[in-house]
Amino acid sequence: MKKIITGGTIVTAADQYRADLLIENGKITEIGQGIQAEDAEIIDATGKYVFPGGIDPHTHLDMPFNNTVTDDDWESGTIAAAFGGTTTILDFCLTTGKARLLDAVDKWHEKAKDKAVIDYGFHLMIADLTEDTLKQLPEALEIAGINSVKVFLAYAKEFQATDRTLFQAFKVGKEKDAIVMVHCENGSVIDELVEEAKALGHTEPIYHALTRPPQLEGEATKRAIELANLAGAKLYVVHVTCKEAVDEIIRAREKGYQVYGETCPPYLVLDQTALEKPNFEGAKYVWSPPLRPKEHQEVLWNALKAKQLQTIGSDQCSFSFNGKKQLGKEDFSKIPNGGPFIEDRLSVLYSEGVAKGRITLNEFVDMVSTSAAKTFGLFPQKGTIAIGTDADLVLFDPNVERVISAETHHMNVDYNAFEGLKVKGEPVSVFSRGEFVIRDKEFVGKLGRGQYIRREVKKEGKPVITK
């Protein structure tokens, strides 16, 4: 059915104007004043912003980790994302051992099948590149329609790659024009600090932060930057948290290196003291990299404003407090790392950023949608509002005020990391390819309607040893 959205203020990364939108067959087909179309449903957006649907480049749904599995799967996770104004997510396929890379992709397709209510794509996570998997990787990216590879320099017992594996991934990234995403912390040194802390009898959640100091994020960030530049590859540093890492990214970009950075809402509004809460409440705030002392927040805001960091990912990785977080009750190193953020990404950034004058409306749209679309090969199909683009849209009320709470969120966990935070602005209705997913704050979508979005890589190319 045709739809006309009328009376709203359209906001993209570049523009802001009043106009009507005509939607047909899932696409925007006309933008203008006083649009009319026979048999069209009229949707009044008076007093609201019309944003392109949010693109969350960093989620972990139904993911095995820390001897357990995240509590939000592709049903609850994508429904919560939609309530928060996100219409596309990019999730991480985890490869294991010597298993065929495409088998991991198939497994993630099965997780999403009949559950995802919004569109999605994948990143391919690489833990170890054997001679066999190294041969598989270029073709796997082509066949799967994936143009991004993830490498961990943290989690020595689970995912940590060697520097050689990281450099090999960068070489394939250069060959296929794929971007390599890196979790930048020095996992081996962190493990040493963890063992030292436990030997001294320290078991509380705060030691999760104290054993992962900012210096180890900065060191790993610099290492990844230099190896990426040596290979001539594009580097995307995920969930940047601290001045040490930001400074390395700024220096690299000033040299002309192909380096991009992401941060996440909790690092902008929460700080390390949350892990000091009594009665094990600090475990709610255990994720990696950890929350930092408050002074790092302004560094991150300034880097976003200056476009030294380009995107806001949620790093959704949820574990219930009264469930799986309790695995670390007697040992902070066993607390499952991760938190529930997918639903509040846009609201927190709008309220703390736009409403408080830190960023403009256009910058907000760029951070939550357009930059991710451009970085990961989704633009212009997604990430903007223009004739011919997917009608992924958010009707956003900038005036409503509310308090974030686990009692009202839609994630499958028993706490909210932003509990009690007063925010201004809220998504009211959300469209995915022209169809309502959220209508007047009610879920009206269909399970399994979300489509997999292929992202192309170069079909030919030769590995690069050095620049």
Side-chain angles (χ1 to χ4, degrees):
M1 185 178 180
K2 297 177 184 176
K3 295 181 178 69
I4 297 174
I5 299 176
T6 184
T9 299
I10 296 171
V11 185
T12 70
D15 299 302
Q16 181 177 336
Y17 56 93
R18 293 284 299 275
D20 300 341
L21 294 173
L22 176 62
I23 299 170
E24 299 178 88
N25 299 317
K27 301 284 186 181
I28 296 170
T29 58
E30 187 176 348
I31 302 174
Q33 303 295 329
I35 293 175
Q36 296 184 3
E38 188 176 351
D39 299 326
E41 178 184 3
I42 307 299
I43 297 150
D44 186 6
T46 300
K48 298 179 181 65
Y49 292 128
V50 183
F51 296 142
I55 296 172
D56 190 340
H58 192 150
T59 69
H60 301 282
L61 301 181
D62 193 7
M63 185 190 79
F65 184 52
N66 281 153
N67 298 312
T68 185
V69 180
T70 56
D71 282 319
D72 278 295
D73 66 4
W74 283 79
E75 180 177 333
S76 65
T78 58
I79 289 173
F83 269 106
T86 292
T87 56
T88 304
I89 65 169
L90 296 175
D91 202 81
F92 292 87
C93 300
L94 303 189
T95 63
T96 55
K98 297 180 181 179
R100 183 170 167 266
L101 296 180
L102 285 173
D103 287 345
V105 177
D106 291 342
K107 186 174 183 178
W108 250 253
H109 276 297
E110 283 299 314
K111 291 174 182 286
K113 184 180 178 182
D114 299 327
K115 290 186 177 181
V117 304
I118 57 175
D119 292 349
Y120 59 94
F122 298 146
H123 309 297
L124 189 62
M125 172 266 179
I126 301 296
D128 184 28
L129 281 174
T130 64
E131 185 176 345
D132 181 48
T133 54
L134 187 59
K135 289 179 181 177
Q136 291 179 42
L137 182 55
E139 184 180 23
L141 296 177
E142 285 186 29
I143 293 173
I146 296 175
N147 67 1
S148 44
V149 175
K150 170 76 174 289
V151 179
F152 285 88
L153 294 182
Y155 305 125
K157 296 181 179 67
E158 293 94 354
F159 303 134
Q160 184 177 327
T162 65
D163 288 348
R164 182 176 184 179
T165 295
L166 176 61
F167 187 60
Q168 288 173 323
F170 282 136
K171 290 196 293 180
V172 175
K174 170 63 176 177
E175 175 191 354
K176 306 305 294 181
D177 195 28
I179 195 162
V180 180
M181 312 168 74
V182 183
H183 177 140
C184 291
E185 290 184 286
N186 190 316
S188 299
V189 176
I190 287 169
D191 277 2
E192 177 69 13
L193 294 177
V194 167
E195 292 307 313
E196 286 181 4
K198 292 198 294 185
L200 293 171
H202 300 308
T203 61
E204 304 91 339
I206 185 59
Y207 283 92
H208 172 76
L210 298 179
T211 57
R212 307 179 86 100
Q215 295 95 317
L216 296 185
E217 184 179 342
E219 181 275 332
T221 301
K222 179 175 177 56
R223 184 160 30 111
I225 285 169
E226 294 302 338
L227 292 178
N229 187 58
L230 184 63
K234 292 182 288 188
L235 167 65
Y236 180 97
V237 184
V238 298
H239 47 46
V240 175
T241 76
C242 61
K243 183 179 187 300
E244 287 80 353
V246 168
D247 286 349
E248 296 296 345
I249 291 169
I250 291 173
R251 279 192 284 267
R253 289 176 61 82
E254 287 175 346
K255 294 177 185 176
Y257 292 8
Q258 299 178 87
V259 179
Y260 308 90
E262 161 200 284
T263 192
C264 309
Y267 302 120
L268 297 170
V269 298
L270 303 175
D271 66 71
Q272 185 174 295
T273 58
L275 284 90
E276 298 174 349
K277 291 188 176 185
N279 303 318
F280 197 59
E281 291 279 327
K284 295 177 178 179
Y285 305 92
V286 168
W287 48 75
S288 299
L291 289 172
R292 304 299 187 188
K294 193 174 182 64
E295 59 265 25
H296 291 272
Q297 292 177 2
E298 204 59 32
V299 173
L300 297 175
W301 281 111
N302 290 339
L304 284 168
K305 180 72 176 177
K307 295 191 175 182
Q308 303 292 2
L309 300 177
Q310 294 77 33
T311 59
I312 301 289
S314 68
D315 195 8
Q316 167 75 13
C317 190
S318 57
F319 301 98
S320 285
F321 174 65
N322 288 308
K324 294 164 186 175
K325 289 282 186 180
Q326 299 298 320
L327 292 170
K329 183 79 173 178
E330 306 300 329
D331 179 351
F332 72 89
S333 69
K334 294 181 180 178
I335 301 170
N337 278 222
F341 314 117
I342 201 168
E343 187 168 349
D344 299 308
R345 188 175 65 106
L346 269 71
S347 288
V348 169
L349 189 69
Y350 180 86
S351 185
E352 295 293 314
V354 179
K356 292 188 175 180
R358 290 184 169 111
I359 58 174
T360 67
L361 268 174
N362 303 114
E363 289 168 338
F364 165 81
V365 170
D366 195 40
M367 292 170 194
V368 299
S369 182
T370 310
S371 279
K374 290 180 176 179
T375 301
F376 295 106
L378 297 166
F379 191 85
Q381 178 184 358
K382 298 183 182 294
T384 192
I385 297 174
I387 292 173
T389 64
D390 284 357
D392 294 351
L393 302 165
V394 179
L395 304 189
F396 190 92
D397 187 339
N399 297 311
V400 66
E401 295 184 354
R402 64 189 180 95
V403 177
I404 294 177
S405 174
E407 293 185 1
T408 53
H409 76 201
H410 302 86
M411 294 174 286
N412 187 38
V413 283
D414 58 2
Y415 80 99
N416 192 300
F418 303 111
E419 187 74 34
L421 180 66
K422 295 180 180 179
V423 292
K424 186 173 184 179
E426 180 181 27
V428 174
S429 294
V430 179
F431 301 81
S432 172
R433 287 176 282 108
E435 298 296 328
F436 280 105
V437 184
I438 308 298
R439 185 164 193 165
D440 297 325
K441 303 182 188 179
E442 296 291 333
F443 175 67
V444 295
K446 296 179 181 178
L447 296 183
R449 186 183 177 278
Q451 292 183 353
Y452 178 70
I453 307 299
R454 291 183 57 86
R455 296 167 294 130
E456 297 302 319
V457 295
K458 284 169 62 176
K459 296 294 190 293
E460 297 177 359
K462 296 180 179 180
V464 174
I465 304 302
T466 58
K467 287 189 69 178

